[in-house]
Amino acid sequence: MTSYFEICWIVMGLIVNPSQSPHSTGWSKLIAKSIPARMDQCLHVAKAADKFEVDPYLMIALAYYESRFEAGLTSSAGAKGVMQVKKQFVDCAGCSEIEYGIKAYQTWLAKSEGDVCLALGRYTVGNKGQCGKRSKAILKLAADLACFASKDEDCHDC
């Protein structure tokens, strides 16, 4: 089984634009400053997902699409952090921002009667959310990460 560190390292590769020249201005500074903090956030997501017994690959994929693991983000709607969540909508006293996000996902999953794709849509836009392109992209990334982690030789999409 592959470690969360290895999985998060793969996800960091998605953040860095592979078509960008390493010689472009500021590129090395961006990597030096940004990736270690984002790696730390990714590992926190995986550990919190384990704590709440939620698929860690799904939560890593969700955080990737929500914020690219940038902890200081605030959306125009007021959602904050790596998981882009509004804490007032989730009951999770003493939880970290990442844990609030995972609890919010669990809440939407329950309201969606176990439909993971619909829960992801609702996580993003609320009760009117639906299983759309973004939800499917999150599910695809989560499946790819789980496949890589399993090191399954029969996994053709890895």
Side-chain angles (χ1 to χ4, degrees), residues 9-84:
W9 187 248
I10 289 167
V11 175
M12 293 306 110
L14 299 174
I15 293 171
V16 179
N17 183 352
S19 65
Q20 185 178 12
S21 167
H23 303 292
S24 63
T25 307
W27 188 83
S28 60
K29 288 182 182 179
L30 171 74
I31 298 304
K33 291 181 180 178
S34 172
I35 296 302
R38 291 174 194 244
M39 273 291 289
D40 188 47
Q41 295 300 315
C42 182
L43 291 169
H44 283 289
V45 169
K47 290 174 185 174
D50 277 346
K51 175 181 174 180
F52 287 99
E53 298 180 351
V54 176
D55 177 358
Y57 307 114
L58 183 61
M59 292 300 99
I60 289 170
L62 178 59
Y64 170 79
Y65 274 92
E66 286 294 320
S67 68
R68 303 294 196 264
F69 303 99
E70 185 65 41
L73 291 181
T74 301
S75 75
S76 59
K80 295 184 180 204
V82 171
M83 300 299 286
Q84 288 292 287

Side-chain angles (χ1 to χ4, degrees), residues 7-8 19 33 94 100 102 107 110 115 135 142:
I7 295 300
C8 288
S19 65
K33 291 181 180 178
Y100 270 101
I102 292 170
T107 300
D115 184 331
S135 297

